[in-house]
Amino acid sequence: TGGSGMTLESYFDDPRVRRFCSTGELGLSRLLDRCTDGARGLASRAKAAVMAGPPDRDLSVLGKAGVAAALALAFGLAGLGGGSKEAGRRPAPPQQQQQQQQQRRVSTGTRARPSPPQRTPAPLTHAEVRWIIKKWQANKSRALGPSYDVKGLRESLAGDLVGEWRDRAAMAKRSGSYWTYELEDVSVSEVRGVGGSGEVATAKARIQESAKLVEKRGGKVRSSYKDPYDVTYTLKRTDAGWRIIGVKI
């Protein structure tokens, strides 16, 4: 081009020109102005070279100048767009990320809610204890009665007491005798929780019953009692309900 010795191809091979055309940091208006000015300069020099040269000189240099200007503009816009994409992918600072997460929780209603406090089970009442004792008296009567039915023991007892009363029923059967019970009254005087968990309690009660030990052959009464007696029960809450785990007369 002219007397500078630089061709159009070598101009765009210059690293400074490549860096200028590929930058994404310039403003769009500034980039357009500089690319337009560069294209005008190239066109002017190309025109001067054509006018000064021989008639058969390649006139396509003007077309090359126009294409070069368009490419420079395209590369500049592409670089600018690429820079904006990289800026869009740039992670936000940790504090900003935390604020965005909090905003999302509020907007979507997914904020973690504190779990409700666990409630202590309701304490055992006198009426409940009285019902438990009466049920136990009925199951005891069947286990030691003439049928020696021990199936109901687990409805009233838990722990070692189940095996203990099964052994008593087996002993009565081997001896050829059985017990008959007639419950007259149950009065509960005290119920206390143990440990504060609501899972264990003690209860004091007075039992009024009449009982007879009868021989299975002949029906002779071997022994009997009718006097009331005081009992301290230890009860435990299970998945199946309250069960007696201790008896102290």
Side-chain angles (χ1 to χ4, degrees):
T1 57
S4 63
M6 178 180 290
T7 64
L8 187 61
E9 289 80 1
S10 62
Y11 175 79
F12 280 100
D13 287 336
D14 191 316
R16 292 173 299 175
V17 177
R18 289 180 177 275
R19 185 166 56 252
F20 167 77
C21 292
S22 62
T23 180
E25 299 176 357
L26 294 175
L28 180 59
S29 60
R30 185 179 174 189
L31 179 62
L32 289 172
D33 292 342
R34 296 187 63 175
C35 289
T36 303
D37 293 341
R40 286 175 178 172
L42 287 172
S44 298
R45 285 194 298 218
K47 181 178 180 181
V50 171
M51 296 298 294
D56 59 347
R57 189 176 181 86
D58 186 7
L59 296 179
S60 65
V61 67
L62 290 174
K64 290 183 179 180
V67 173
L71 289 174
L73 178 59
F75 289 150
L77 292 175
L80 183 59
S84 63
K85 290 180 181 178
E86 292 179 0
R89 288 193 297 266
R90 209 171 284 165
Q95 185 176 4
Q96 185 177 353
Q97 291 179 358
Q98 189 175 10
Q99 292 176 352
Q100 292 174 352
Q101 292 175 358
Q102 291 176 353
Q103 291 174 355
R104 283 196 295 269
R105 291 195 196 101
V106 173
S107 61
T108 58
T110 57
R111 180 180 294 179
R113 297 179 179 178
S115 57
Q118 295 184 351
R119 296 181 179 179
T120 303
L124 196 60
T125 65
H126 285 60
E128 289 174 324
V129 171
R130 188 171 184 273
W131 181 84
I132 292 170
I133 294 174
K134 292 179 70 174
K135 184 178 181 180
W136 156 235
Q137 290 294 122
N139 287 325
K140 179 183 73 171
S141 180
R142 284 193 290 270
L144 299 183
S147 63
Y148 310 105
D149 183 3
V150 297
K151 296 178 182 178
L153 291 177
R154 287 193 177 275
E155 297 178 2
S156 297
L157 306 178
D160 296 338
L161 283 184
V162 177
E164 180 181 332
W165 282 90
R166 279 179 175 172
D167 292 343
R168 290 189 181 188
M171 186 181 299
K173 186 175 183 179
R174 286 194 301 268
S175 67
S177 58
Y178 61 89
W179 284 90
T180 62
Y181 296 94
E182 185 177 346
L183 183 63
E184 297 177 3
D185 186 43
V186 176
S187 59
V188 179
S189 58
E190 183 181 283
V191 180
R192 287 187 179 182
V194 178
S197 64
E199 302 295 329
V200 181
T202 60
K204 292 182 179 181
R206 171 160 287 196
I207 309 299
Q208 181 71 49
E209 69 179 357
S210 59
K212 297 177 182 180
L213 179 61
V214 183
E215 289 184 356
K216 203 162 188 178
R217 289 184 179 181
K220 182 180 179 180
V221 177
R222 292 185 178 181
S223 179
S224 64
Y225 67 84
K226 193 176 181 179
D227 297 334
Y229 58 93
D230 296 327
V231 187
T232 299
Y233 297 96
T234 302
L235 304 103
K236 183 178 181 180
R237 189 193 301 271
T238 69
D239 293 340
W242 286 95
R243 296 292 185 268
I244 299 171
I245 61 173
V247 178
K248 185 178 180 182
I249 300 177

